[in-house]
Amino acid sequence: MPAKGARHLMREHGLHHTTDVLVVGGGVIGLVTAWRAAQRGLATAVADPAPGGGAAHVAAGMLAAVTELQYGEQALLDLNLASAARYPDFAAELTELTGLDTGYRRCGTLAVALDADDRAHLRELHAFQTSLGLESQWLSGRECRRLEPMLAPGVRGGLRVDGDHQVDPRRLSTALLRAADLAGVVFLRSAVARVTADGDRVTGAVLADGTVVAAARTVLAAGSESGRIAGLPDDALPPVRPVKGQILRLRMPAGQPPFLTRTVRAVVRGSHVYLVPRDNGELVLGATSEEFGWDTTVTAGGVYELLRDAHELLPGITELALTETLAGLRPGSPDNAPLLGATALDGLLLATGHHRNGVLLTPVTGDVLAEVLTSSTGELPQYARAFGANRFTTTGTGPVPPAPARQEQHA
Ligand code: GLY
């Protein structure tokens, strides 16, 4: 129920705002949190100088719960699958409310192998997927090329996963912005200078333009920036780190037969490469994964490696127009899973740490945060209990389970 009326709950006194919920960060995670909170009748504000940006502006938008499966991440798999299952209704609801298309497309994914090592990895992944009851079909190289004729003759086999789809994160952001606005969310177009606290209670934030925001609850949803927000004690800062991803956008020729019909991915010399074809002719090629701090430079080496690896999969790619190069920062937590809900500080909640799965986890994150913000206990719903915001803190009230072992990437 759009909470247009919620706006009246927010008092405006010049540069002073009072609100039930302040969401710090207007990327897809912040926007979905704000939208769902406002729908539940909470006066909600988003602080971000450029809402609708963030990592999702760079991301390809693969909804790859099955093909990006990692060993040791079964709990995350369940959350990813829960979110993937929400996507059809989520996208339809956004479109119905806003009239905007999110680019959600049930295209399926093909993960292919180029050499004997890749093939062995994919075989293992297939066995793992099957052991978990996931839908995944082994194909010979010839069968892969029958599905996607532009694939290189050297493709040795692959996994057909018809349940891994795509959304266009830029369209998704635009639709979320509109839906949040319609629901009465107030956009404060300024960065957060610092979070404010009164003892152990977080009370809102002061923005870079001088606005003082008093909030009953403050949700940090600023992606990797959440880990260096000013005003919080060091041990209350979320343990998120920036993981750089460089990505390219190309243009496929119009006409038949199509260049590519579904997402194709592979691991080439240990690096993930994926190609996501959109209905509008855009082909997104990603992505590097680099742990070099706050750098978002697009490098010649990054572009070269992506094109070199993609060229091995799809030799025809060198004919396409290269329309955009960009780098973004994934917010990585210690176990690369999201940090959700209440923290040790009263009034402070987290919705960050989504790492490679921010776009995929957008629908479920909105539901989880809405439930936490409106329940009397403030507890996470059962299906999200493994992702508590306190799980890595020593001062927190939540349990501190051991981080799942990092494993070699197989997808
Ligand atoms: N999920 C794809 C990526 O993070 O590159």
Side-chain angles (χ1 to χ4, degrees):
M1 174 66 197
K4 201 63 168 170
R7 206 188 290 261
H8 79 276
L9 295 173
M10 180 167 163
R11 295 191 301 276
E12 298 190 18
H13 301 294
L15 290 177
H16 190 164
H17 293 280
T18 301
T19 187
D20 294 333
V21 179
L22 170 65
V23 179
V24 178
V28 287
I29 296 297
L31 290 175
V32 77
T33 299
W35 175 43
R36 291 304 197 198
Q39 278 185 318
R40 301 237 186 158
L42 296 168
T44 305
V46 171
D48 192 316
H57 183 72
V58 180
M62 279 178 309
L63 307 175
V66 176
T67 44
E68 280 208 351
L69 175 65
Q70 308 285 318
Y71 290 99
E73 292 188 352
Q74 283 92 321
L76 180 59
L77 169 69
D78 289 341
L79 195 70
N80 286 342
L81 289 173
S83 204
R86 281 164 163 78
Y87 246 101
D89 288 348
F90 176 75
E93 183 184 356
L94 277 171
T95 299
E96 193 177 321
L97 284 172
T98 65
L100 298 170
D101 180 19
T102 62
Y104 176 65
R105 193 174 151 226
R106 301 172 69 86
C107 61
T109 296
L110 187 63
V112 300
L114 282 167
D115 61 26
D117 284 350
D118 294 348
R119 197 169 180 279
H121 277 312
L122 269 193
R123 280 283 193 199
E124 273 180 46
L125 178 64
H126 186 226
F128 185 41
Q129 290 166 337
T130 307
S131 75
L132 296 173
L134 300 169
E135 198 193 318
S136 169
Q137 184 189 357
W138 180 262
L139 300 184
S140 67
R142 182 174 302 191
E143 287 168 327
C144 291
R145 281 189 297 281
R146 202 172 297 139
L147 282 181
E148 296 295 343
M150 296 302 281
L151 281 172
V155 165
R156 304 275 294 260
L159 292 178
R160 176 177 176 167
V161 177
D162 286 343
D164 275 1
H165 302 307
Q166 64 159 297
V167 71
D168 183 333
R170 293 178 179 178
R171 289 184 178 192
L172 176 65
S173 296
T174 305
L176 281 169
L177 268 172
R178 182 84 187 112
D181 185 49
L182 289 171
V185 172
V186 173
F187 288 94
L188 303 168
R189 291 173 189 268
S190 180
V192 166
R194 64 186 164 84
V195 168
T196 53
D198 182 2
D200 275 351
R201 174 162 190 83
V202 168
T203 55
V206 177
L207 309 189
D209 67 3
T211 305
V212 176
V213 186
R217 260 84 56 84
T218 299
V219 183
L220 269 190
S224 50
E225 292 289 337
S226 309
R228 59 174 187 176
I229 290 280
L232 290 175
D234 281 353
D235 63 358
L237 281 169
V240 286
R241 67 189 195 284
V243 182
K244 177 177 170 181
Q246 301 190 48
I247 212 158
L248 314 181
R249 282 175 165 77
L250 303 105
R251 181 140 298 281
M252 297 180 289
Q256 298 293 330
F259 186 80
L260 207 60
T261 64
R262 73 199 68 219
T263 297
V264 166
R265 55 182 307 141
V267 178
V268 182
R269 287 177 286 273
S271 300
H272 288 268
V273 61
Y274 48 78
L275 296 114
V276 182
R278 304 231 195 277
D279 280 342
N280 64 8
E282 183 176 82
L283 179 65
V284 187
L285 163 56
T288 65
S289 187
E290 306 162 66
E291 307 239 4
F292 295 143
W294 299 98
D295 168 46
T296 52
T297 314
V298 175
T299 63
V303 174
Y304 164 72
E305 283 169 23
L306 287 171
L307 286 172
R308 179 196 63 197
D309 295 349
H311 179 253
E312 287 190 30
L313 289 178
L314 289 156
I317 200 164
T318 49
E319 305 295 324
L320 306 188
L322 175 62
T323 57
E324 191 179 357
T325 61
L326 210 51
L329 299 171
R330 307 174 183 90
S333 74
D335 61 4
N336 292 327
L339 301 159
L340 303 175
T343 68
L345 292 182
D346 233 11
L348 182 72
L349 295 89
L350 300 184
T352 185
H354 294 70
H355 195 233
R356 300 181 70 88
N357 297 306
V359 176
L360 171 59
L361 289 172
T362 296
V364 80
T365 300
D367 290 350
V368 169
L369 266 291
E371 198 155 330
V372 170
L373 287 165
T374 53
S375 83
S376 53
T377 62
E379 283 181 8
L380 289 169
Q382 185 59 42
Y383 62 87
R385 290 268 158 88
F387 307 99
N390 277 340
R391 68 186 186 278
F392 299 108
T393 60
T394 47
T395 52
T397 51
V400 186
R406 298 291 302 277
Q407 299 282 343
E408 190 179 353
Q409 297 186 326
H410 280 250

